[in-house]
Amino acid sequence: KFAALSSILPSSSSSSGSKGGTTSGFQESTAAANYMTDFQPLSPLIPPLFSDTLAVIESRSRDAEGIFRISGANPDVVRLTQRYNQALVNNRDNPNRERVLVQVLQNEPNVHVHASLVTCILRDMPEPLLPFILYEHLLRVAEEPASSKRLLYRSFLKMLPPGNYEMLVRIL
C-alpha cells in the first residue's frame, strides 16, 4: 500500500470507507502534493498517474502474459512513482509536461510494474471504486433476470460518485 498515492486520488465526501494506518515505502514531497492540486489532467476527476499508467498498459499489453495476475516488484513500483512525482515537480511550468510524464512511465519496461501501480492506486482510494454503500444494490442487480439487468446496471452507474464513475469508465 502506498499512502502517498492518496494525495492524487479523487477526494471522497465520506470518510467512512477510508483506511487508516497505511504504511508507505516512500514519502511524497510537499511540492509534488501541492502540484497535484494545480495539475489539470484529461478529466479533473481522474488522477493523471492513473490515466497515464493505463495508457501505457494499453499500448504494451498485447504480448504480455497475465498483466494483472503477475505482480510487479514493489521496489520498482515505488521507484516509478517517485520518478513520476519528481517529474511533476520538475516540469510544473513546462508546456510539454504531459509528454514528459508519459515518457517517465514509458521508460519502465515491465508492464507488470504499471499494472501493480494501478492496483495500488485503486487499493489506496479512500473508498472503494464501487462504494460499500452501493454493494447491496449491486447484489440485487446481479440477481435480476437478464432482460432487466442492463437498465439496472445503468441506474447503478448513475449512483456512483463522479470520480469513481470516471475512473471505472476509464478502466473499461
Side-chain angles (χ1 to χ4, degrees), residues 57 60-67 70 110-112:
I57 291 170
R60 295 185 180 174
S61 63
R62 289 185 182 99
D63 299 326
E65 179 185 338
I67 297 170
I70 300 172
N110 187 346
V111 72
H112 301 290

Side-chain angles (χ1 to χ4, degrees), residues 87-126:
L88 277 174
V89 173
N90 294 342
N91 292 283
R92 180 177 184 151
D93 298 322
N94 183 347
N96 296 319
R97 70 177 169 246
E98 288 86 4
R99 193 173 335 172
V100 171
L101 295 173
V102 170
Q103 185 62 44
V104 167
L105 293 172
Q106 288 176 341
N107 286 339
E108 171 56 54
N110 187 346
V111 72
H112 301 290
V113 171
H114 296 102
S116 292
L117 180 55
V118 167
T119 302
C120 289
I121 292 170
L122 292 171
R123 188 181 310 131
D124 204 37
M125 290 178 67

